Amino acid sequence: GAVVSQHPSWVICKSGTSVKIECRSLDFQATTMFWYRQFPKQSLMLMATSNEGSKATYEQGVEKDKFLINHASLTLSTLTVTSAHPEDSSFYICSARGPQAGGPYEQYFGPGTRLTVT
Amino acid sequence: GEDVEQSLFLSVREGDSSVINCTYTDSSSTYLYWYKQEPGAGLQLLTYIFSNMDMKQDQRLTVLLNKKDKHLSLRIADTQTGDSAIYFCAESTGGSQGNLIFGKGTKLSVKP
């Protein structure tokens, strides 16, 4: 149990375009979802936290108009990178937690999405 | 602010034990976690320990917590080549607002 999927796993887009990444909890209701960014050989940086039906809470330094997060249902959150630039190229990972998957103490991570902006 | 520190590399021989260490600064941490990340993949929750515990064992994994020194370790017994990965230590204050603060990860290399 507690499986989180992401789609796509890998995407290449041109500079200036937007790309949407989906994160789904497959076998539990995710009351909270998190979006992280991971640079090569570095740790995960929390970008934002979203509770179902509420606006996302962004970490300091993360542009909310550039990284649009929607958590419209208990099993789906989306991250849209708007007007992407090469510096947005990174590995984006989502995680989710919910009462059916360990409660507030366990986060389950998706497999990540590799974004390359050319 | 909160900070989690780990050594970056560890190399062991197959069959030996591996010990990965982590220190953290937030004394209000209530949960401490170990995650495993294989190349190109997301993070897999290995185990976690509540701050009022000293030790937790789960098959080949043993977690030791020294709350006084804010030191956490993960011991992998009988390390196998499949254990080669990056291991992240993380802390959380728990609850609905508790987010995870990650260390930079320790790359474990297992030599046959």
Side-chain angles (χ1 to χ4, degrees):
Chain A
V3 178
V4 176
S5 70
Q6 277 184 246
H7 177 81
S9 55
W10 184 44
V11 58
I12 301 174
C13 70
K14 290 189 184 298
S15 189
T17 61
S18 296
V19 61
K20 180 185 286 188
I21 303 170
E22 292 186 349
C23 176
R24 292 181 186 273
S25 57
L26 299 185
D27 51 2
F28 68 100
Q29 293 182 329
T31 48
T32 307
M33 284 185 164
F34 303 84
W35 285 96
Y36 293 85
R37 184 172 177 177
Q38 186 179 30
F39 293 98
K41 298 182 181 179
Q42 291 199 28
S43 187
L44 282 74
M45 181 192 80
L46 179 65
M47 298 175 66
T49 302
S50 72
N51 294 300
E52 185 266 340
S54 303
K55 288 186 178 180
T57 302
Y58 289 80
E59 295 299 301
Q60 193 172 6
V62 178
E63 298 176 60
K64 59 182 178 183
D65 294 331
K66 180 167 185 61
F67 298 99
L68 302 178
I69 291 171
N70 184 283
H71 190 172
S73 80
L74 282 170
T75 59
L76 173 65
S77 176
T78 59
L79 167 67
T80 301
V81 183
T82 62
S83 186
H85 288 101
E87 57 265 31
D88 299 325
S89 298
S90 192
F91 194 53
Y92 293 87
I93 306 177
C94 73
S95 71
R97 67 182 182 200
Q100 303 152 330
Y105 313 123
E106 298 183 18
Q107 283 187 33
Y108 291 89
F109 284 77
T113 297
R114 172 75 59 192
L115 170 63
T116 301
V117 185
T118 61
Chain B
E2 303 144 337
D3 196 18
V4 178
E5 297 285 341
Q6 297 177 243
S7 53
L8 295 181
F9 301 99
L10 176 65
S11 180
V12 301
R13 291 206 175 276
E14 192 174 19
D16 289 349
S17 292
S18 307
V19 179
I20 303 170
N21 294 300
C22 169
T23 57
Y24 59 98
T25 57
D26 189 353
S27 58
S28 65
S29 295
T30 53
Y31 288 90
L32 296 128
Y33 301 80
W34 285 104
Y35 283 87
K36 177 183 180 182
Q37 185 180 34
E38 298 186 25
L43 274 68
Q44 173 194 354
L45 176 62
L46 288 178
T47 186
Y48 63 96
I49 189 168
F50 188 48
S51 60
N52 68 353
M53 298 168 66
D54 299 323
M55 185 184 85
K56 181 178 180 181
Q57 185 161 1
D58 184 3
Q59 299 182 344
R60 292 191 297 124
L61 305 179
T62 303
V63 178
L64 294 177
L65 174 61
N66 181 328
K67 194 174 180 183
K68 174 175 171 289
D69 294 338
K70 299 190 185 71
H71 181 266
L72 183 75
S73 68
L74 173 69
R75 180 177 179 269
I76 305 173
D78 188 23
T79 312
Q80 301 298 308
T81 54
D83 295 323
S84 294
I86 298 177
Y87 291 80
F88 289 94
C89 170
E91 63 168 351
S92 170
T93 53
S96 60
Q97 300 303 316
N99 299 325
L100 294 178
I101 307 297
F102 285 89
K104 284 188 164 56
T106 299
K107 183 174 183 179
L108 174 63
S109 297
V110 183
K111 299 178 180 178

